Amino acid sequence: MKSPARGLLTGVAVAATVGALAGCSAADADQATDGKVELRVATFPPGADAAAYEAFAAQEKQFEADNPDIDIIGVEYEWEGPTFAVQLAGGSLPDVFTVPFTDSKTLLENGQLMDVTDEMEELGYTDSFNPIILDGVTDDEGRIFGFPRQAYAMGLHYNRDLFEQAGLDPDSPPTTWDEVREYAQQISEETGKAGYAQMAINNTGGWQLTAQTVARGGRTQTDGQDGTATSTIDNDGTKATLQFLHDLRWVDDSFGSKVDLDWGTINQEFAAGNIGMYTSGSDVYTALVRDFGLDPEVYGLTVVPTEGADPGTLGGGDIAVVSPTVDDATKAAAVTWIDWYYMQKLLDEDAAVLDAKTLSESGQAVGTPVLPVLSRELYEESLGWIEPYINVPRDQMTPFTDAIWDQTPVGEPKKSTQEVYALLDGVVQTVLTDENADIDALLAQAQTDAQALLDQ
């Protein structure tokens, strides 16, 4: 569910599965060799292409050359909140993995993340992070439980080829929700494909409903100064979003027949050329190409349309964290890996260039639009560092990269985030499966039910 300056918070959780990386068995991970510290680290979701693993293998070799006392064991990994506790208890999580911003507060409060305050301060860049982002992994006593490593803003992803087939200009994507609806109907009529689709299950329906509520000036939750939260789901922005989905599905017949998509399946459908437009994190291009086989030539990205009195753009991202079950030696190795693999390429020119060169030589995406977890200035400077290796079609993303800085970043709801998203999944599914769904009644009930979750 997955999407990094931000003043934005979080992304979405999708699945948490762990399996051995090619060439690494479970027995390998449990057996020490030559006195080295064996460190199990998260790599890619199942289904990543061979080139991704080739790039990781090259980076693994570079790291181990610099750190000969650490043996890296890569494991496949994809986050899923509902199964996290089971995997943690069962010992099947990697020693180093990532979690979305939305879940970091809950996990640290539950004692499910390792305290890395001293290590981060020793590395000397605690003060380098955007304080809003760092707050997501900081407890009430100021202790830090993870390294923010990537952020994104919500974007509208579109298929340039379907635009052209429908007689639309792919260099002029829609700028309002009314235009999105018009474009979707034209794509559907001219190509027979879904002009627009939206996630609806596994908490992603609630995630995207929240994102589009924010884009229309609404908010689904407000925070009190005493740690309480108030559900505000029943607002004009949420209602307009549900009416938009209803009209696409039942009036225009441009939504398509698949109403049970989540992060993985909507990416699969989009990469296969079956969807004209959908919303998701701006960083999803990498996964679309690496994991789902998207042809880069057909890809387009623009900002999510905004309207209303107080519109914003929902953001997200993830945190690199250490399992709370590891010993001191493994923890030290884990922090060394996080610093090398995730952080230094954000801070240091040589590290950034090495990372970009390695990824580029293995055919991996370099230059996918993200938002900086440090500062905009450093992020833009880093793009200059790696410019020779950027291989994503950024000219097809300029409607996003030119306009995103003018939108107001908004973080995801902070309390019971995934539980409320799961609740809202049902609202989205009802609208997409029942032509006569009573949107007002659905919102009133969802607000009551969400408040009960927030009051627990």
Side-chain angles (χ1 to χ4, degrees), residues 159-202:
N159 185 305
R160 294 173 61 88
D161 186 45
L162 290 181
F163 267 48
E164 290 181 345
Q165 291 180 40
L168 299 167
D169 182 356
D171 293 323
S172 298
T175 59
T176 68
W177 287 110
D178 286 343
E179 287 184 350
V180 171
R181 182 179 174 185
E182 294 169 7
Y183 282 38
Q185 188 170 16
Q186 192 164 331
I187 290 169
S188 182
E189 290 175 350
E190 296 297 328
T191 70
K193 303 297 178 67
Y196 178 92
Q198 190 152 313
M199 304 176 215
I201 64 172
N202 295 334

mmCIF file of all heavy atoms in Angstrom, residues 159-202:
data_model
loop_
_atom_site.group_PDB
_atom_site.id
_atom_site.type_symbol
_atom_site.label_atom_id
_atom_site.label_comp_id
_atom_site.label_asym_id
_atom_site.label_seq_id
_atom_site.Cartn_x
_atom_site.Cartn_y
_atom_site.Cartn_z
ATOM 1 N N ASN A 159 -1.953 6.278 -18.698
ATOM 2 C CA ASN A 159 -1.396 5.539 -19.817
ATOM 3 C C ASN A 159 -1.415 6.428 -21.058
ATOM 4 O O ASN A 159 -2.481 6.731 -21.604
ATOM 5 C CB ASN A 159 -2.215 4.260 -20.054
ATOM 6 C CG ASN A 159 -1.620 3.372 -21.131
ATOM 7 O OD1 ASN A 159 -1.392 3.807 -22.253
ATOM 8 N ND2 ASN A 159 -1.388 2.111 -20.792
ATOM 9 N N ARG A 160 -0.241 6.851 -21.507
ATOM 10 C CA ARG A 160 -0.142 7.758 -22.642
ATOM 11 C C ARG A 160 -0.671 7.124 -23.927
ATOM 12 O O ARG A 160 -1.261 7.802 -24.775
ATOM 13 C CB ARG A 160 1.319 8.191 -22.827
ATOM 14 C CG ARG A 160 1.866 9.040 -21.680
ATOM 15 C CD ARG A 160 3.361 9.290 -21.852
ATOM 16 N NE ARG A 160 3.666 10.004 -23.069
ATOM 17 C CZ ARG A 160 3.690 11.333 -23.181
ATOM 18 N NH1 ARG A 160 3.419 12.093 -22.115
ATOM 19 N NH2 ARG A 160 3.969 11.909 -24.322
ATOM 20 N N ASP A 161 -0.470 5.835 -24.072
ATOM 21 C CA ASP A 161 -0.928 5.149 -25.271
ATOM 22 C C ASP A 161 -2.458 5.147 -25.348
ATOM 23 O O ASP A 161 -3.031 5.416 -26.412
ATOM 24 C CB ASP A 161 -0.392 3.714 -25.279
ATOM 25 C CG ASP A 161 -0.709 2.997 -26.579
ATOM 26 O OD1 ASP A 161 -0.524 3.580 -27.659
ATOM 27 O OD2 ASP A 161 -1.147 1.827 -26.521
ATOM 28 N N LEU A 162 -3.123 4.862 -24.214
ATOM 29 C CA LEU A 162 -4.584 4.892 -24.207
ATOM 30 C C LEU A 162 -5.098 6.312 -24.430
ATOM 31 O O LEU A 162 -6.153 6.503 -25.058
ATOM 32 C CB LEU A 162 -5.122 4.332 -22.889
ATOM 33 C CG LEU A 162 -4.937 2.829 -22.670
ATOM 34 C CD1 LEU A 162 -5.525 2.399 -21.337
ATOM 35 C CD2 LEU A 162 -5.550 2.025 -23.810
ATOM 36 N N PHE A 163 -4.378 7.304 -23.931
ATOM 37 C CA PHE A 163 -4.752 8.694 -24.202
ATOM 38 C C PHE A 163 -4.768 8.939 -25.706
ATOM 39 O O PHE A 163 -5.727 9.511 -26.254
ATOM 40 C CB PHE A 163 -3.764 9.655 -23.531
ATOM 41 C CG PHE A 163 -4.179 10.124 -22.162
ATOM 42 C CD1 PHE A 163 -4.612 9.225 -21.203
ATOM 43 C CD2 PHE A 163 -4.135 11.473 -21.833
ATOM 44 C CE1 PHE A 163 -4.994 9.666 -19.940
ATOM 45 C CE2 PHE A 163 -4.511 11.926 -20.575
ATOM 46 C CZ PHE A 163 -4.941 11.019 -19.621
ATOM 47 N N GLU A 164 -3.704 8.533 -26.383
ATOM 48 C CA GLU A 164 -3.604 8.776 -27.819
ATOM 49 C C GLU A 164 -4.691 8.018 -28.580
ATOM 50 O O GLU A 164 -5.284 8.549 -29.525
ATOM 51 C CB GLU A 164 -2.210 8.387 -28.304
ATOM 52 C CG GLU A 164 -1.109 9.327 -27.810
ATOM 53 C CD GLU A 164 0.258 8.933 -28.329
ATOM 54 O OE1 GLU A 164 0.396 7.797 -28.831
ATOM 55 O OE2 GLU A 164 1.191 9.766 -28.235
ATOM 56 N N GLN A 165 -4.929 6.764 -28.179
ATOM 57 C CA GLN A 165 -5.977 5.985 -28.845
ATOM 58 C C GLN A 165 -7.346 6.641 -28.691
ATOM 59 O O GLN A 165 -8.216 6.518 -29.564
ATOM 60 C CB GLN A 165 -6.033 4.568 -28.269
ATOM 61 C CG GLN A 165 -4.835 3.696 -28.603
ATOM 62 C CD GLN A 165 -4.977 2.316 -28.004
ATOM 63 O OE1 GLN A 165 -6.055 1.730 -27.996
ATOM 64 N NE2 GLN A 165 -3.872 1.771 -27.485
ATOM 65 N N ALA A 166 -7.529 7.357 -27.581
ATOM 66 C CA ALA A 166 -8.813 8.013 -27.318
ATOM 67 C C ALA A 166 -8.874 9.421 -27.892
ATOM 68 O O ALA A 166 -9.873 10.122 -27.722
ATOM 69 C CB ALA A 166 -9.069 8.055 -25.816
ATOM 70 N N GLY A 167 -7.804 9.853 -28.581
ATOM 71 C CA GLY A 167 -7.790 11.200 -29.151
ATOM 72 C C GLY A 167 -7.454 12.277 -28.147
ATOM 73 O O GLY A 167 -7.769 13.461 -28.372
ATOM 74 N N LEU A 168 -6.808 11.907 -27.055
ATOM 75 C CA LEU A 168 -6.414 12.861 -26.014
ATOM 76 C C LEU A 168 -4.922 13.149 -26.112
ATOM 77 O O LEU A 168 -4.143 12.297 -26.556
ATOM 78 C CB LEU A 168 -6.739 12.296 -24.633
ATOM 79 C CG LEU A 168 -8.216 12.005 -24.357
ATOM 80 C CD1 LEU A 168 -8.366 11.169 -23.084
ATOM 81 C CD2 LEU A 168 -9.007 13.310 -24.246
ATOM 82 N N ASP A 169 -4.519 14.318 -25.692
ATOM 83 C CA ASP A 169 -3.110 14.710 -25.728
ATOM 84 C C ASP A 169 -2.426 14.224 -24.448
ATOM 85 O O ASP A 169 -2.731 14.715 -23.359
ATOM 86 C CB ASP A 169 -3.000 16.234 -25.823
ATOM 87 C CG ASP A 169 -1.552 16.719 -25.923
ATOM 88 O OD1 ASP A 169 -0.623 15.874 -25.845
ATOM 89 O OD2 ASP A 169 -1.356 17.942 -26.064
ATOM 90 N N PRO A 170 -1.487 13.281 -24.545
ATOM 91 C CA PRO A 170 -0.834 12.765 -23.344
ATOM 92 C C PRO A 170 0.069 13.778 -22.652
ATOM 93 O O PRO A 170 0.457 13.565 -21.503
ATOM 94 C CB PRO A 170 -0.023 11.572 -23.858
ATOM 95 C CG PRO A 170 0.202 11.854 -25.306
ATOM 96 C CD PRO A 170 -1.023 12.583 -25.766
ATOM 97 N N ASP A 171 0.384 14.857 -23.345
ATOM 98 C CA ASP A 171 1.183 15.915 -22.714
ATOM 99 C C ASP A 171 0.305 16.948 -22.011
ATOM 100 O O ASP A 171 0.825 17.899 -21.423
ATOM 101 C CB ASP A 171 2.056 16.612 -23.763
ATOM 102 C CG ASP A 171 3.121 15.684 -24.316
ATOM 103 O OD1 ASP A 171 3.656 14.868 -23.548
ATOM 104 O OD2 ASP A 171 3.417 15.777 -25.527
ATOM 105 N N SER A 172 -1.013 16.757 -22.085
ATOM 106 C CA SER A 172 -1.950 17.659 -21.414
ATOM 107 C C SER A 172 -2.947 16.835 -20.602
ATOM 108 O O SER A 172 -4.125 16.711 -20.969
ATOM 109 C CB SER A 172 -2.684 18.540 -22.436
ATOM 110 O OG SER A 172 -1.789 19.361 -23.149
ATOM 111 N N PRO A 173 -2.490 16.245 -19.507
ATOM 112 C CA PRO A 173 -3.381 15.420 -18.689
ATOM 113 C C PRO A 173 -4.423 16.273 -17.981
ATOM 114 O O PRO A 173 -4.307 17.511 -17.933
ATOM 115 C CB PRO A 173 -2.422 14.767 -17.687
ATOM 116 C CG PRO A 173 -1.281 15.734 -17.569
ATOM 117 C CD PRO A 173 -1.124 16.317 -18.948
ATOM 118 N N PRO A 174 -5.452 15.672 -17.428
ATOM 119 C CA PRO A 174 -6.520 16.439 -16.774
ATOM 120 C C PRO A 174 -6.009 17.207 -15.555
ATOM 121 O O PRO A 174 -5.115 16.751 -14.850
ATOM 122 C CB PRO A 174 -7.530 15.357 -16.366
ATOM 123 C CG PRO A 174 -6.749 14.091 -16.322
ATOM 124 C CD PRO A 174 -5.710 14.215 -17.385
ATOM 125 N N THR A 175 -6.612 18.362 -15.327
ATOM 126 C CA THR A 175 -6.208 19.203 -14.197
ATOM 127 C C THR A 175 -7.329 19.388 -13.181
ATOM 128 O O THR A 175 -7.111 20.003 -12.135
ATOM 129 C CB THR A 175 -5.750 20.587 -14.694
ATOM 130 O OG1 THR A 175 -6.825 21.208 -15.402
ATOM 131 C CG2 THR A 175 -4.533 20.460 -15.611
ATOM 132 N N THR A 176 -8.518 18.881 -13.470
ATOM 133 C CA THR A 176 -9.644 18.941 -12.534
ATOM 134 C C THR A 176 -10.279 17.558 -12.469
ATOM 135 O O THR A 176 -10.103 16.723 -13.365
ATOM 136 C CB THR A 176 -10.700 19.962 -12.973
ATOM 137 O OG1 THR A 176 -11.332 19.501 -14.177
ATOM 138 C CG2 THR A 176 -10.077 21.334 -13.224
ATOM 139 N N TRP A 177 -11.085 17.323 -11.426
ATOM 140 C CA TRP A 177 -11.772 16.037 -11.315
ATOM 141 C C TRP A 177 -12.838 15.903 -12.401
ATOM 142 O O TRP A 177 -13.083 14.783 -12.896
ATOM 143 C CB TRP A 177 -12.391 15.887 -9.932
ATOM 144 C CG TRP A 177 -11.360 15.636 -8.868
ATOM 145 C CD1 TRP A 177 -10.969 16.480 -7.875
ATOM 146 C CD2 TRP A 177 -10.556 14.455 -8.732
ATOM 147 N NE1 TRP A 177 -9.965 15.895 -7.124
ATOM 148 C CE2 TRP A 177 -9.701 14.659 -7.611
ATOM 149 C CE3 TRP A 177 -10.475 13.253 -9.423
ATOM 150 C CZ2 TRP A 177 -8.786 13.704 -7.190
ATOM 151 C CZ3 TRP A 177 -9.559 12.288 -9.007
ATOM 152 C CH2 TRP A 177 -8.730 12.506 -7.901
ATOM 153 N N ASP A 178 -13.446 17.009 -12.801
ATOM 154 C CA ASP A 178 -14.402 16.941 -13.908
ATOM 155 C C ASP A 178 -13.708 16.484 -15.183
ATOM 156 O O ASP A 178 -14.267 15.684 -15.954
ATOM 157 C CB ASP A 178 -15.060 18.303 -14.126
ATOM 158 C CG ASP A 178 -16.089 18.640 -13.051
ATOM 159 O OD1 ASP A 178 -16.531 17.715 -12.344
ATOM 160 O OD2 ASP A 178 -16.439 19.832 -12.930
ATOM 161 N N GLU A 179 -12.492 16.971 -15.409
ATOM 162 C CA GLU A 179 -11.746 16.537 -16.594
ATOM 163 C C GLU A 179 -11.327 15.074 -16.472
ATOM 164 O O GLU A 179 -11.316 14.351 -17.476
ATOM 165 C CB GLU A 179 -10.518 17.431 -16.796
ATOM 166 C CG GLU A 179 -10.848 18.819 -17.308
ATOM 167 C CD GLU A 179 -9.596 19.641 -17.594
ATOM 168 O OE1 GLU A 179 -8.498 19.198 -17.223
ATOM 169 O OE2 GLU A 179 -9.735 20.731 -18.183
ATOM 170 N N VAL A 180 -10.961 14.634 -15.284
ATOM 171 C CA VAL A 180 -10.642 13.212 -15.104
ATOM 172 C C VAL A 180 -11.837 12.364 -15.541
ATOM 173 O O VAL A 180 -11.684 11.364 -16.258
ATOM 174 C CB VAL A 180 -10.272 12.910 -13.635
ATOM 175 C CG1 VAL A 180 -10.152 11.400 -13.425
ATOM 176 C CG2 VAL A 180 -8.973 13.589 -13.258
ATOM 177 N N ARG A 181 -13.019 12.766 -15.123
ATOM 178 C CA ARG A 181 -14.231 12.016 -15.497
ATOM 179 C C ARG A 181 -14.446 12.043 -17.006
ATOM 180 O O ARG A 181 -14.752 11.015 -17.621
ATOM 181 C CB ARG A 181 -15.437 12.594 -14.767
ATOM 182 C CG ARG A 181 -16.728 11.848 -15.044
ATOM 183 C CD ARG A 181 -17.911 12.423 -14.277
ATOM 184 N NE ARG A 181 -19.146 11.769 -14.695
ATOM 185 C CZ ARG A 181 -20.355 12.126 -14.274
ATOM 186 N NH1 ARG A 181 -20.492 13.153 -13.426
ATOM 187 N NH2 ARG A 181 -21.432 11.470 -14.711
ATOM 188 N N GLU A 182 -14.270 13.225 -17.611
ATOM 189 C CA GLU A 182 -14.449 13.341 -19.058
ATOM 190 C C GLU A 182 -13.435 12.485 -19.813
ATOM 191 O O GLU A 182 -13.787 11.777 -20.767
ATOM 192 C CB GLU A 182 -14.310 14.805 -19.474
ATOM 193 C CG GLU A 182 -15.421 15.710 -18.943
ATOM 194 C CD GLU A 182 -15.103 17.181 -19.152
ATOM 195 O OE1 GLU A 182 -14.085 17.474 -19.820
ATOM 196 O OE2 GLU A 182 -15.866 18.041 -18.658
ATOM 197 N N TYR A 183 -12.175 12.560 -19.402
ATOM 198 C CA TYR A 183 -11.123 11.773 -20.051
ATOM 199 C C TYR A 183 -11.400 10.278 -19.886
ATOM 200 O O TYR A 183 -11.202 9.482 -20.820
ATOM 201 C CB TYR A 183 -9.759 12.112 -19.457
ATOM 202 C CG TYR A 183 -9.128 13.396 -19.934
ATOM 203 C CD1 TYR A 183 -9.883 14.541 -20.164
ATOM 204 C CD2 TYR A 183 -7.754 13.472 -20.133
ATOM 205 C CE1 TYR A 183 -9.297 15.719 -20.588
ATOM 206 C CE2 TYR A 183 -7.149 14.655 -20.565
ATOM 207 C CZ TYR A 183 -7.929 15.774 -20.782
ATOM 208 O OH TYR A 183 -7.339 16.949 -21.203
ATOM 209 N N ALA A 184 -11.827 9.883 -18.691
ATOM 210 C CA ALA A 184 -12.093 8.472 -18.429
ATOM 211 C C ALA A 184 -13.197 7.951 -19.354
ATOM 212 O O ALA A 184 -13.091 6.840 -19.910
ATOM 213 C CB ALA A 184 -12.485 8.275 -16.973
ATOM 214 N N GLN A 185 -14.236 8.744 -19.527
ATOM 215 C CA GLN A 185 -15.339 8.318 -20.386
ATOM 216 C C GLN A 185 -14.886 8.200 -21.841
ATOM 217 O O GLN A 185 -15.230 7.235 -22.541
ATOM 218 C CB GLN A 185 -16.502 9.303 -20.277
ATOM 219 C CG GLN A 185 -17.765 8.839 -20.992
ATOM 220 C CD GLN A 185 -18.964 9.703 -20.666
ATOM 221 O OE1 GLN A 185 -18.834 10.814 -20.141
ATOM 222 N NE2 GLN A 185 -20.156 9.211 -20.961
ATOM 223 N N GLN A 186 -14.062 9.142 -22.282
ATOM 224 C CA GLN A 186 -13.578 9.089 -23.660
ATOM 225 C C GLN A 186 -12.659 7.897 -23.875
ATOM 226 O O GLN A 186 -12.730 7.222 -24.906
ATOM 227 C CB GLN A 186 -12.842 10.396 -23.989
ATOM 228 C CG GLN A 186 -12.547 10.583 -25.465
ATOM 229 C CD GLN A 186 -12.181 12.023 -25.814
ATOM 230 O OE1 GLN A 186 -12.632 12.958 -25.150
ATOM 231 N NE2 GLN A 186 -11.375 12.201 -26.854
ATOM 232 N N ILE A 187 -11.787 7.608 -22.921
ATOM 233 C CA ILE A 187 -10.903 6.447 -23.024
ATOM 234 C C ILE A 187 -11.716 5.163 -23.083
ATOM 235 O O ILE A 187 -11.458 4.274 -23.912
ATOM 236 C CB ILE A 187 -9.924 6.412 -21.832
ATOM 237 C CG1 ILE A 187 -8.901 7.543 -21.951
ATOM 238 C CG2 ILE A 187 -9.200 5.063 -21.747
ATOM 239 C CD1 ILE A 187 -8.062 7.745 -20.705
ATOM 240 N N SER A 188 -12.701 5.058 -22.217
ATOM 241 C CA SER A 188 -13.517 3.851 -22.183
ATOM 242 C C SER A 188 -14.287 3.649 -23.479
ATOM 243 O O SER A 188 -14.339 2.543 -24.028
ATOM 244 C CB SER A 188 -14.484 3.926 -20.993
ATOM 245 O OG SER A 188 -15.265 2.760 -20.900
ATOM 246 N N GLU A 189 -14.864 4.725 -23.988
ATOM 247 C CA GLU A 189 -15.656 4.619 -25.211
ATOM 248 C C GLU A 189 -14.800 4.278 -26.423
ATOM 249 O O GLU A 189 -15.207 3.508 -27.298
ATOM 250 C CB GLU A 189 -16.401 5.931 -25.452
ATOM 251 C CG GLU A 189 -17.528 6.186 -24.454
ATOM 252 C CD GLU A 189 -18.178 7.544 -24.640
ATOM 253 O OE1 GLU A 189 -17.623 8.360 -25.432
ATOM 254 O OE2 GLU A 189 -19.222 7.812 -24.006
ATOM 255 N N GLU A 190 -13.582 4.833 -26.486
ATOM 256 C CA GLU A 190 -12.744 4.660 -27.675
ATOM 257 C C GLU A 190 -11.874 3.410 -27.632
ATOM 258 O O GLU A 190 -11.465 2.903 -28.668
ATOM 259 C CB GLU A 190 -11.846 5.887 -27.851
ATOM 260 C CG GLU A 190 -12.605 7.185 -28.126
ATOM 261 C CD GLU A 190 -13.388 7.140 -29.431
ATOM 262 O OE1 GLU A 190 -12.932 6.463 -30.374
ATOM 263 O OE2 GLU A 190 -14.456 7.775 -29.496
ATOM 264 N N THR A 191 -11.562 2.913 -26.434
ATOM 265 C CA THR A 191 -10.623 1.785 -26.331
ATOM 266 C C THR A 191 -11.231 0.528 -25.714
ATOM 267 O O THR A 191 -10.647 -0.556 -25.827
ATOM 268 C CB THR A 191 -9.397 2.166 -25.479
ATOM 269 O OG1 THR A 191 -9.780 2.296 -24.103
ATOM 270 C CG2 THR A 191 -8.780 3.473 -25.962
ATOM 271 N N GLY A 192 -12.362 0.676 -25.037
ATOM 272 C CA GLY A 192 -12.944 -0.472 -24.354
ATOM 273 C C GLY A 192 -12.274 -0.811 -23.040
ATOM 274 O O GLY A 192 -12.647 -1.792 -22.382
ATOM 275 N N LYS A 193 -11.304 -0.022 -22.641
ATOM 276 C CA LYS A 193 -10.602 -0.251 -21.373
ATOM 277 C C LYS A 193 -11.189 0.643 -20.281
ATOM 278 O O LYS A 193 -11.916 1.594 -20.571
ATOM 279 C CB LYS A 193 -9.106 0.049 -21.540
ATOM 280 C CG LYS A 193 -8.417 -0.762 -22.629
ATOM 281 C CD LYS A 193 -8.439 -2.243 -22.317
ATOM 282 C CE LYS A 193 -7.803 -3.091 -23.409
ATOM 283 N NZ LYS A 193 -6.358 -2.857 -23.534
ATOM 284 N N ALA A 194 -10.858 0.327 -19.051
ATOM 285 C CA ALA A 194 -11.320 1.162 -17.939
ATOM 286 C C ALA A 194 -10.652 2.527 -18.043
ATOM 287 O O ALA A 194 -9.425 2.633 -18.025
ATOM 288 C CB ALA A 194 -10.966 0.506 -16.610
ATOM 289 N N GLY A 195 -11.455 3.574 -18.154
ATOM 290 C CA GLY A 195 -10.867 4.905 -18.250
ATOM 291 C C GLY A 195 -10.215 5.332 -16.961
ATOM 292 O O GLY A 195 -9.219 6.065 -16.961
ATOM 293 N N TYR A 196 -10.787 4.874 -15.863
ATOM 294 C CA TYR A 196 -10.258 5.203 -14.537
ATOM 295 C C TYR A 196 -10.567 4.025 -13.626
ATOM 296 O O TYR A 196 -11.602 3.364 -13.765
ATOM 297 C CB TYR A 196 -10.927 6.464 -13.988
ATOM 298 C CG TYR A 196 -10.467 6.852 -12.601
ATOM 299 C CD1 TYR A 196 -9.407 7.728 -12.422
ATOM 300 C CD2 TYR A 196 -11.091 6.330 -11.464
ATOM 301 C CE1 TYR A 196 -8.977 8.080 -11.148
ATOM 302 C CE2 TYR A 196 -10.677 6.671 -10.193
ATOM 303 C CZ TYR A 196 -9.620 7.542 -10.034
ATOM 304 O OH TYR A 196 -9.197 7.877 -8.776
ATOM 305 N N ALA A 197 -9.652 3.728 -12.699
ATOM 306 C CA ALA A 197 -9.890 2.683 -11.704
ATOM 307 C C ALA A 197 -9.359 3.160 -10.363
ATOM 308 O O ALA A 197 -8.552 4.103 -10.294
ATOM 309 C CB ALA A 197 -9.219 1.373 -12.118
ATOM 310 N N GLN A 198 -9.812 2.496 -9.308
ATOM 311 C CA GLN A 198 -9.376 2.887 -7.969
ATOM 312 C C GLN A 198 -9.286 1.656 -7.069
ATOM 313 O O GLN A 198 -10.073 0.718 -7.176
ATOM 314 C CB GLN A 198 -10.340 3.907 -7.364
ATOM 315 C CG GLN A 198 -9.811 4.532 -6.081
ATOM 316 C CD GLN A 198 -10.350 5.925 -5.860
ATOM 317 O OE1 GLN A 198 -10.347 6.748 -6.767
ATOM 318 N NE2 GLN A 198 -10.808 6.198 -4.650
ATOM 319 N N MET A 199 -8.318 1.672 -6.171
ATOM 320 C CA MET A 199 -8.169 0.592 -5.202
ATOM 321 C C MET A 199 -9.371 0.558 -4.272
ATOM 322 O O MET A 199 -9.956 1.586 -3.961
ATOM 323 C CB MET A 199 -6.894 0.787 -4.389
ATOM 324 C CG MET A 199 -5.634 0.892 -5.226
ATOM 325 S SD MET A 199 -4.186 1.245 -4.190
ATOM 326 C CE MET A 199 -3.245 2.301 -5.297
ATOM 327 N N ALA A 200 -9.701 -0.674 -3.783
ATOM 328 C CA ALA A 200 -10.914 -0.790 -2.972
ATOM 329 C C ALA A 200 -10.821 -1.823 -1.854
ATOM 330 O O ALA A 200 -11.748 -1.904 -1.044
ATOM 331 C CB ALA A 200 -12.107 -1.124 -3.863
ATOM 332 N N ILE A 201 -9.742 -2.600 -1.772
ATOM 333 C CA ILE A 201 -9.684 -3.646 -0.746
ATOM 334 C C ILE A 201 -8.334 -3.612 -0.032
ATOM 335 O O ILE A 201 -7.418 -2.892 -0.428
ATOM 336 C CB ILE A 201 -9.914 -5.053 -1.347
ATOM 337 C CG1 ILE A 201 -8.798 -5.429 -2.330
ATOM 338 C CG2 ILE A 201 -11.272 -5.127 -2.035
ATOM 339 C CD1 ILE A 201 -8.864 -6.887 -2.800
ATOM 340 N N ASN A 202 -8.238 -4.418 1.048
ATOM 341 C CA ASN A 202 -7.004 -4.542 1.824
ATOM 342 C C ASN A 202 -6.486 -3.204 2.331
ATOM 343 O O ASN A 202 -5.293 -2.917 2.284
ATOM 344 C CB ASN A 202 -5.917 -5.260 1.002
ATOM 345 C CG ASN A 202 -6.284 -6.692 0.696
ATOM 346 O OD1 ASN A 202 -7.046 -7.307 1.429
ATOM 347 N ND2 ASN A 202 -5.766 -7.221 -0.404
#
